[in-house]
């Protein structure tokens, strides 16, 4: 998504630019390292810069900071990853961060930083959901299976809902699926881009609760909610920085913290199709204006042009 969508947009919309997967030995004006930062990458970046090639580091995970409680396996950076991220950031001519939080952290090591958020293909996620009163409102959540653990933080809110079903879309059945199923009717769907686009048409609300207790979660992007927002689903989410930006832009959802706030926000949307329709339209506009590939691709092109001035 982050590489392919932007790369295709650049090739299709700029006559004087062409990009391809890196081939060692070829001459390039600019090389972008997407989350590639180990010792070999640092050596190659230094070699390229010595020959006049501009180097961009795309930082789309917060490897810079290690603080807080990491209760989901694989999310805590290692000291080596932290050192590599800092070294690659300092080596680069420019850094592109996928969240404003990461951008701020990266600027401690390199002042040349631009925030370009994750994007989505609105040609795939294009059909807007019409909201009408229904007997069973479907609440969508999507992500890597192990991250469904975040849903347990709102277990009381989910258990107290009337007229709702939870739809989990993931790479595999989450370990918490049985527990969630005991709180609210829950259905699992295996993830693919096309399958998720279809599933969202049958859903009514997109959610993403997060335990904001470590640097990884604070630096995460808005992608979990913008896929649903793209097709007109109102978002209900924790006040993680990227979620705050996405929802606050046009009022395409609700930001909540406590269990009671979660229950009230979800039940209010469940009971009011008109409210879902209004917020859903605002959500779709937000994605078209801030997160569509055409927007992020143009932002990337501006960064690349600036490096060769």
């Amino acid at each position: 998504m982050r590489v392919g969508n932007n790369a295709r947009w650049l090739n299709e919309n700029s006559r004087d630019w062409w990009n391809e997967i890196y081939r060692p030995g070829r001459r390039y004006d600019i090389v972008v390292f997407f989350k590639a930062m180990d010792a070999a990458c640092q050596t190659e970046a230094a070699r390229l810069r010595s020959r006049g090639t501009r180097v961009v580091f795309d930082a789309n995970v917060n490897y810079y900071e290690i603080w807080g409680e990491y209760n989901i396996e694989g999310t805590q950076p290692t000291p080596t990853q932290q050192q590599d991220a800092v070294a690659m950031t300092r080596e680069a001519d420019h850094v592109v961060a996928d969240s404003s939080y990461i951008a701020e952290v990266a600027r401690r090591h390199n002042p040349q930083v631009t925030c370009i958020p994750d994007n989505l293909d609105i040609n795939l996620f294009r059909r807007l959901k019409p909201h009408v009163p229904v007997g069973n409102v479907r609440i969508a959540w999507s992500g890597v299976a192990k991250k469904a653990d975040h849903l347990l933080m709102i277990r009381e809110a989910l258990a107290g809902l009337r007229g709702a079903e939870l739809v989990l879309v993931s790479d595999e059945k989450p370990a918490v699926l049985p527990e969630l199923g005991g709180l609210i009717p829950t259905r699992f769907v295996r993830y693919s881009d096309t399958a998720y686009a279809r599933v969202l048409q049958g859903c009514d609300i997109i959610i993403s609760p997060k335990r904001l207790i470590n640097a990884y979660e604070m630096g995460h992007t808005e992608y979990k909610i913008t896929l649903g927002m793209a097709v007109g689903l109102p978002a209900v989410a924790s006040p993680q920085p990227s979620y705050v930006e996405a929802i606050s832009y046009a009022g395409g959802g609700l930001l909540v913290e406590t269990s009671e706030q979660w229950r009230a926000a979800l039940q209010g949307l469940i009971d009011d199709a008109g409210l879902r329709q209004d917020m859903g339209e605002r959500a779709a506009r937000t994605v078209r204006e801030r997160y569509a590939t055409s927007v992020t691709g143009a932002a990337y092109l501006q960064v690349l042009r600036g490096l060769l001035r």
Side-chain angles (χ1 to χ4, degrees):
M1 170 270 299
R2 188 159 182 85
V3 179
N5 285 356
N6 284 322
R8 283 188 290 271
W9 187 92
L10 286 167
N11 283 347
E12 292 168 2
N13 292 277
S14 180
R15 294 181 180 179
D16 56 338
W17 285 77
W18 175 259
N19 71 85
E20 64 185 23
I21 299 297
Y22 180 63
R23 302 181 191 181
R26 298 194 73 172
R27 190 197 71 79
Y28 294 100
D29 296 297
I30 301 171
V31 174
V32 182
F33 288 76
F34 283 90
K35 205 167 63 174
M37 60 187 190
D38 62 14
C41 292
Q42 294 167 43
T43 298
E44 186 68 356
R47 186 187 70 81
L48 289 165
R49 291 189 75 202
S50 72
R51 298 185 177 189
T53 299
R54 303 294 189 183
V55 167
V56 175
F57 178 45
D58 191 295
N60 54 3
V61 174
N62 187 9
Y63 290 119
Y64 300 102
E65 300 178 307
I66 305 175
W67 59 262
E69 299 177 30
Y70 292 83
N71 52 7
I72 296 179
E73 183 183 355
T75 59
Q76 180 172 347
T78 66
T80 297
Q81 287 174 321
Q82 184 184 42
Q83 292 164 14
D84 287 342
V86 171
M88 198 68 182
T89 297
R90 290 174 175 168
E91 179 69 33
D93 294 291
H94 203 95
V95 177
V96 172
D98 69 351
S99 74
S100 58
Y101 184 94
I102 293 179
E104 267 193 52
V105 176
R107 286 191 186 101
R108 300 172 192 168
H109 310 287
N110 187 331
Q112 302 303 317
V113 179
T114 299
C115 178
I116 300 178
D118 281 342
N119 72 92
L120 54 90
D121 181 0
I122 59 173
N123 292 316
L124 180 60
F125 296 88
R126 67 183 183 277
R127 291 180 54 202
L128 294 186
K129 163 80 179 189
H131 291 278
V132 296
V134 292
N136 197 38
V137 167
R138 290 175 177 162
I139 301 169
W141 177 92
S142 182
V144 178
K146 62 187 177 183
K147 296 183 180 179
D149 182 70
H150 285 286
L151 289 162
L152 296 181
M153 68 177 278
I154 61 167
R155 53 163 64 86
E156 292 180 6
L158 294 174
L161 295 178
R162 306 181 308 275
E165 173 189 2
L166 180 62
V167 181
L168 300 182
V169 185
S170 189
D171 55 325
E172 60 184 13
K173 288 186 177 180
V176 298
L177 184 61
E179 184 171 353
L180 291 170
L183 303 171
I184 183 174
T186 303
R187 180 163 58 95
F188 166 75
V189 179
R190 193 169 298 278
Y191 181 87
S192 75
D193 284 346
T194 53
Y196 193 35
R198 288 195 304 270
V199 168
L200 287 173
Q201 289 298 316
C203 292
D204 304 279
I205 303 167
I206 186 80
I207 65 169
S208 187
K210 276 188 177 292
R211 297 187 182 97
L212 301 176
I213 56 175
N214 60 55
Y216 173 85
E217 299 298 348
M218 291 297 289
H220 219 277
T221 77
E222 64 294 314
Y223 195 62
K224 272 188 173 63
I225 61 172
T226 49
L227 288 173
M229 291 172 69
V231 299
L233 304 190
V236 183
S238 299
Q240 189 260 10
S242 293
Y243 293 168
V244 172
E245 292 168 8
I247 289 174
S248 299
Y249 178 77
L254 297 166
L255 295 159
V256 290
E257 295 187 69
T258 67
S259 181
E260 179 53 33
Q261 288 172 347
W262 271 98
R263 191 205 64 77
L266 290 172
Q267 194 64 60
L269 286 166
I270 290 166
D271 295 340
D272 192 338
L275 180 60
R276 296 199 304 273
Q277 183 70 38
D278 177 62
M279 284 191 176
E281 290 172 357
R282 295 169 184 268
R285 176 164 68 86
T286 295
V287 173
R288 290 194 302 270
E289 294 180 0
R290 284 182 61 98
Y291 304 108
T293 304
S294 58
V295 177
T296 62
Y300 235 111
L301 183 58
Q302 184 175 1
V303 168
L304 298 178
R305 287 192 190 281
L307 286 171
L308 297 184
R309 286 177 187 153

